[in-house]
Structure formats: structure tokens, C-alpha cells
């Protein structure tokens, strides 16, 4: 019996015997807002204390707008055989923080029941935006086995020379390609990977239905796939056999004769499980080892829940350093914080993290800003950092803001899985005038980028790389921190040795001989 069980694990039958994904998923649209939709609309910051209570927190969706909630409930009642697609019209869905709780709320209201025995835990939301989904939010949608669609239903108009046409207010003139007004019935075809209105094809959505994302949908979330692969590998090792190809092979892109961007170099150095000796370029799906992990205090309770659900009890030994912050609740040390934060700090300290507050019960005021502490404990330009905050940006290595679930996965396994992002190189010329602050340079970068690309934000979803090498640590941190506001995936500032030494001397950390 035990051998049969191990053999079943080796074949990954826990995955292969799951029901197949429906060929057609019928959805009815619900426009949650026009323009970019912040996660604060879906999970307000003022309700952060209740994020780990799915039932209670679900009541705050749309910032407690009961009329919108009633409209959504009525739409579901009118279309009981369809799933609701929540849309950011003429904007990007899910910008800002609170990704996991935002997705949890959308899933609670529009998703699928995860188990008849676990109340208020829904999965598989369908989310869309005219300009797609914010990168971190899209990752979180995958965690829950959902679908995130880049609609492109409004397009910028161009003149004969290819320049963007603007109106009297300087805003781009948009043309509607197709309508997704509230109540529109659409069909997602998972075989053709197209979006339809009746028989009319509207959009190729293959990017939302890659082989890996289809596995997340089938398994009910990315965790099941990650741990399933690990379980299969362990079973095959016990049996002394090669791992059979069950899961979709990771996409590996190699461009002969092409050099590597900084982020490609970092990912290639930290990659695990890829084809030995193969150099990977942007677009490749990569499993990487993570060096530094940060958990944020307003989402930390959800991270601790995820760790408990994984049956994880101690931090992965391959993680170099991990930190549980207390900065968001320090300034509002109210009764809710006093009830939640002590148990969060104890859990994380027992798990193996450095904690911002004393886990033994003494809680002085703290000013530990998570981004600063992670920046201080990151020492290598080759490090990969995962942090539970959208402003997880470092002056060294490459850092990615992540949802509480991805943070939990990084803590438990020491790994993260993501495509290697594309890069945009930013170069500075000249010298700063005496009256300038480095933030002036930051704002000029944004202004010049938008001017050069006709108002299009080419930073969105990409890594911004600065190769000048002479930015001190505080300047590099200022720049990388700003890139979160530009919806960039991450940012890298390469430091020369002399600059790094100067930064250490400024911080008073240089060793004295």
C-alpha cells in the first residue's frame, strides 16, 4: 500500500486525475470603475485589521459602497449560470498594495467555492482591465487559480506619422474596439484561448491562459502546483526513477548571440530546475532561489495563515535573511493593532524571522520601515528579494513586491516562480546642479519617458535598469522606490565598488582599519 501511494505520487496522479478545465467559461461583466483601480477599492487600508477574517473583510469591498455591492449581487442573481468578470474600464486593475486581500474579496464575491467544508474561502476570480492587470496583482490572481485578462478594448488613436492624438486637455484620444459595459455576456474559450461575444471573436487572450496558468486554474491555485511538483520529485527520488513529464515544461527562451540584461544575469545565477547549461532570456519561466524575504505587518496575519495551511513550521534554510515589519501599525497603535500584532510577531519569530517588535510582550514605538530594513540587510548585487509590499525596491539586487501568499511560499521553500521580465534601460547624463534634489531627476525620468513614447508608460510590467554605477545607496533607493509608482515590475541600480564603499561610509558602516 505504501509503495502504491509513493508510485501514485511519482505519477502526480493527485494532479492528473483532477477534472479538466471547462472549454467554455461564460462570464458577465461588471465595471468596478473607470481608469486605474487601486486595490484600496477592493480592500481598504482602513480595514486592514480584518484582512485575515475573510467573512468580515469581505463586507468592505468597494470601500463599503453598499449600492455597488447590491448591484453586483443583483447581477449574479440575474446570471446564476455565469461568473462575474470584474473590470477596470480604460485603466489597469489592481494597482497599489493589499493584493492578496483584494483578490480574496473579489473571489469571495465573484469566485468559486474552494470546498463545501471551508466557508468564505473562494477561489478562481475572473478579473480584467483595459490596460491589463498590475503585475503583483496578476501574480496573486494566479495564486487563487483565477484568470486575469488584458482587454485592450480601448486603443489610442495615432496620426499619419504614428504620433498619439491628444484632446484639448492633452489626454490621448481613445477609440473603443468593443464594449464590455456592465451586463455584457462574454465567453472565454480555454481551447482557442480567445474571448468571444457570441460568435464574434474579440481578443486573443493566450497570455492569460499559458500552459502554466492553465495548471493553476486546474489545480485551484499555484500553491498546489508548486508543492505538487516537490512531492512528485521526492517520490521519484525515493523510487530511484526519473521524474516523468506531467506538468507543463517551463518555457525556456534562448536568443543566440544576444547578451544579457542585468535582471537576466541575476535570474540565470539563481535559477533552479532549468536545463543545465542553458542561458535564459526574458520571457522564460524560471524557478529561482530567494535570498531575502520581508513580511509586512498589515498582511502578515494572512501570510501566517498561508504558512499554517502549508503545514510549514520553520523558515527555509536557503533563505539568507527574513524580516517581519511593524511599520504600518506603529503609527496607529490602536486596540486592533494591540490585539493582532503581538501574536503575529510571536508566530513569525518562532518561524525564524527577525521581528520588528519584541515577541515576548514589550512593545515600544517603532519606526522600522520595511523597505529600509530590507535594503539594509541586502548586501549583494546578485540577491533576489521578495517583500510583502508594493514598494519592495532595493538599492542592490532585484526586489519584487508580492502578495502575502507568495511571501509565505518564499519563506517556506526559499523559492519563487515567475517569468524573467523584460527590461528598460535608463541612462543619466551630465551632473546635478547644486540646487537640485535627486527626486528632481526621478520626476524628469518619468516626464522624458512619457514624452519619448507618446504618453505610453513603457515602464509598466518591466524592470527599469540603471547602469550608471555611481548612484549612492540612498539615491539608488530613492529611484527604485519611485519605480513602484510607475507600475514597473522592479528596478535595478548597479553599483561600482567605489560607490558602494562611499555608501557604507555615509551610513557609518565602513570598517576602520
Amino acid at each position: 500500500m505504501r509503495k502504491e501511494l509513493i508510485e501514485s505520487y511519482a505519477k502526480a496522479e493527485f494532479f492528473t486525475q483532477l477534472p479538466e478545465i471547462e472549454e467554455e467559461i461564460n462570464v458577465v461583466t461588471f465595471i468596478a470603475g473607470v481608469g486605474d483601480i487601486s486595490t484600496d477599492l477592493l480592500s481598504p487600508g482602513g480595514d486592514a485589521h480584518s484582512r485575515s477574517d475573510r467573512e468580515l473583510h469581505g463586507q468592505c469591498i468597494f470601500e463599503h459602497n453598499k449600492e455597488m455591492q447590491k448591484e453586483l449581487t443583483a447581477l449574479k442573481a440575474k446570471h446564476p449560470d455565469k461568473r462575474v468578470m470584474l473590470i477596470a474600464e480604460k485603466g489597469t486593475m489592481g494597482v497599489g498594495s493589499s493584493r492578496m486581500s483584494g483578490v480574496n474579496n473579489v473571489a469571495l464575491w465573484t469566485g468559486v467555492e474552494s470546498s463545501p467544508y471551508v466557508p468564505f474561502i473562494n477561489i478562481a476570480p475572473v478579473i480584467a482591465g483595459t490596460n491589463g492587470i498590475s503585475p503583483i496583482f496578476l501574480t496573486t490572481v494566479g495564486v487563487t487559480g483565477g484568470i486575469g485578462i488584458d482587454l485592450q478594448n480601448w486603443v489610442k488613436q495615432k496620426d499619419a506619422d504614428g504620433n498619439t492624438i491628444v484632446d484639448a486637455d492633452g489626454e490621448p484620444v481613445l477609440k473603443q474596439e468593443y464594449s464590455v459595459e456592465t451586463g455584457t455576456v462574454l465567453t472565454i474559450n480555454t481551447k482557442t484561448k480567445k474571448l468571444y461575444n457570441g460568435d464574434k471573436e474579440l481578443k486573443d487572450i493566450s497570455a492569460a491562459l499559458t500552459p502554466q496558468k492553465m495548471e493553476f486554474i486546474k489545480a485551484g491555485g499555484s500553491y498546489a502546483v508548486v508543492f505538487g511538483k516537490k512531492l512528485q520529485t521526492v517520490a521519484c527520488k525515493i523510487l530511484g526513477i526519473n521524474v516523468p513529464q506531467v506538468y507543463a515544461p517551463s518555457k525556456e527562451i534562448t536568443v543566440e548571440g544576444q547578451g544579457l540584461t542585468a535582471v537576466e544575469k541575476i535570474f540565470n545565477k539563481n535559477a533552479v530546475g532549468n536545463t543545465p547549461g542553458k542561458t535564459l532570456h526574458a520571457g522564460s519561466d524560471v524557478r529561482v532561489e530567494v535570498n531575502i524575504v520581508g513580511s509586512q505587518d498589515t498582511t502578515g496575519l494572512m501570510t501566517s495563515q498561508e504558512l499554517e495551511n502549508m503545514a510549514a513550521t520553520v523558515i527555509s534554510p536557503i533563505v539568507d535573511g527574513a524580516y517581519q515589519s511593524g511599520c504600518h501599525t506603529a503609527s496607529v497603535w490602536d486596540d486592533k493593532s494591540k490585539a493582532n500584532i503581538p501574536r503575529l510577531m510571536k508566530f513569525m519569530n518562532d518561524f525564524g524571522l527577525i521581528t520588528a517588535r519584541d515577541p515576548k510582550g514589550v512593545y515600544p514605538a517603532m519606526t522600522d520601515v520595511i523597505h529600509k530594513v530590507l535594503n539594509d540587510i541586502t548586501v549583494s548585487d546578485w540577491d533576489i528579494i521578495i517583500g510583502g509590499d508594493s514598494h519592495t525596491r532595493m538599492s542592490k539586487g532585484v526586489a519584487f513586491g508580492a502578495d502575502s501568499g507568495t511571501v509565505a511560499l518564499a519563506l517556506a521553500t526559499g523559492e519563487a516562480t515567475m517569468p524573467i521580465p523584460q527590461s528598460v534601460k535608463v541612462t543619466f547624463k551630465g551632473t546635478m546642479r547644486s540646487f537640485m534634489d535627486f527626486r528632481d531627476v526621478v520626476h524628469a525620468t518619468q516626464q522624458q519617458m512619457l514624452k519619448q513614447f507618446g504618453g505610453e508608460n513603457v515602464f509598466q510590467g518591466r524592470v527599469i535598469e540603471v547602469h550608471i554605477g555611481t548612484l549612492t545607496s540612498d539615491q539608488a533607493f530613492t529611484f527604485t522606490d519611485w519605480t513602484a509608482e510607475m507600475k514597473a515590475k522592479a528596478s535595478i541600480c548597479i553599483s561600482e565598488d567605489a560607490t558602494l564603499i562611499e555608501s557604507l561610509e555615509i551610513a557609518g558602516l565602513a570598517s576602520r582599519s
Side-chain angles (χ1 to χ4, degrees), residues 226 229-230 233 250 267-268 270-274 280 284-290 384 413 415-420:
V226 171
K229 288 179 178 179
K230 284 185 173 290
T233 301
S250 295
F267 268 63
N268 273 277
N270 291 276
V272 292
N274 57 309
L280 305 178
S284 301
D285 292 313
V286 184
R287 209 168 93 234
V288 292
E289 291 187 350
V290 175
I384 292 179
T413 67
E415 294 179 2
T417 302
M418 67 182 84
I420 301 178

Side-chain angles (χ1 to χ4, degrees), residues 329-387:
T329 54
S331 61
V332 283
W333 193 235
D334 54 16
D335 289 342
K336 293 166 185 173
S337 298
K338 291 174 183 177
N340 289 333
I341 301 305
R343 59 191 178 94
L344 170 63
M345 294 297 167
K346 183 179 188 312
F347 178 95
M348 290 301 188
N349 191 262
D350 291 344
F351 198 81
L353 280 72
I354 302 167
T355 51
R357 288 179 174 272
D358 185 350
K360 297 179 181 179
V362 180
Y363 298 99
M366 299 292 288
T367 56
D368 61 306
V369 179
I370 182 172
H371 330 303
K372 179 185 181 303
V373 177
L374 294 182
N375 192 56
D376 288 344
I377 66 176
T378 302
V379 296
S380 172
D381 280 332
W382 295 97
D383 279 355
I384 292 179
I385 304 99
I386 297 291

Side-chain angles (χ1 to χ4, degrees), residues 207-389:
L209 299 170
T210 63
Q212 286 74 26
K213 290 179 180 179
M214 292 286 280
E215 288 179 342
F216 296 165
I217 297 168
K218 179 177 179 177
S222 59
Y223 296 164
V225 173
V226 171
F227 284 103
K229 288 179 178 179
K230 284 185 173 290
L231 184 58
Q232 183 192 23
T233 301
V234 170
C236 290
K237 186 176 181 180
I238 292 171
L239 295 172
I241 62 174
N242 293 327
V243 179
Q245 188 71 60
V246 172
Y247 294 97
S250 295
K251 182 168 63 175
E252 296 185 343
I253 298 174
T254 299
V255 184
E256 292 298 330
Q258 179 174 303
L260 297 173
T261 64
V263 71
E264 288 171 342
K265 291 177 182 177
I266 294 172
F267 268 63
N268 273 277
K269 181 181 182 297
N270 291 276
V272 292
N274 57 309
T275 303
K278 192 170 185 177
T279 300
L280 305 178
H281 287 86
S284 301
D285 292 313
V286 184
R287 209 168 93 234
V288 292
E289 291 187 350
V290 175
N291 305 95
I292 304 293
V293 185
S295 173
Q296 198 239 81
D297 46 330
T298 61
T299 57
L301 285 173
M302 291 193 297
T303 299
S304 65
Q305 283 183 336
E306 300 288 354
L307 290 168
E308 288 175 329
N309 291 339
M310 295 173 189
T313 58
V314 66
I315 191 171
S316 169
I318 66 174
V319 173
D320 294 332
Y323 176 70
Q324 172 60 60
S325 82
C327 54
H328 288 71
T329 54
S331 61
V332 283
W333 193 235
D334 54 16
D335 289 342
K336 293 166 185 173
S337 298
K338 291 174 183 177
N340 289 333
I341 301 305
R343 59 191 178 94
L344 170 63
M345 294 297 167
K346 183 179 188 312
F347 178 95
M348 290 301 188
N349 191 262
D350 291 344
F351 198 81
L353 280 72
I354 302 167
T355 51
R357 288 179 174 272
D358 185 350
K360 297 179 181 179
V362 180
Y363 298 99
M366 299 292 288
T367 56
D368 61 306
V369 179
I370 182 172
H371 330 303
K372 179 185 181 303
V373 177
L374 294 182
N375 192 56
D376 288 344
I377 66 176
T378 302
V379 296
S380 172
D381 280 332
W382 295 97
D383 279 355
I384 292 179
I385 304 99
I386 297 291
D389 193 285

Side-chain angles (χ1 to χ4, degrees), residues 404-455:
S404 54
T406 301
V407 170
L409 207 57
L411 288 171
T413 67
E415 294 179 2
T417 302
M418 67 182 84
I420 301 178
Q422 293 180 330
S423 294
V424 177
K425 185 176 180 180
V426 172
T427 301
F428 300 120
K429 295 180 180 179
T431 57
M432 284 178 55
R433 304 289 292 274
S434 59
F435 54 80
M436 290 178 64
D437 181 82
F438 192 71
R439 289 185 180 274
D440 297 322
V441 177
V442 168
H443 295 314
T445 303
Q446 175 179 340
Q447 182 186 43
Q448 291 181 29
M449 178 275 293
L450 293 172
K451 182 178 179 181
Q452 182 176 341
F453 292 94

Side-chain angles (χ1 to χ4, degrees), residues 450-495:
L450 293 172
K451 182 178 179 181
Q452 182 176 341
F453 292 94
E456 179 185 355
N457 181 11
V458 297
F459 291 159
Q460 181 168 336
R462 295 183 172 95
V463 174
I464 303 175
E465 297 189 9
V466 179
H467 291 225
I468 191 171
T470 54
L471 296 182
T472 57
S473 180
D474 64 320
Q475 291 175 328
F477 179 64
T478 297
F479 184 86
T480 56
D481 188 51
W482 158 81
T483 62
E485 302 299 337
M486 289 306 295
K487 306 172 189 173
K489 182 80 172 176
S491 181
I492 296 174
C493 287
I494 298 171
S495 299

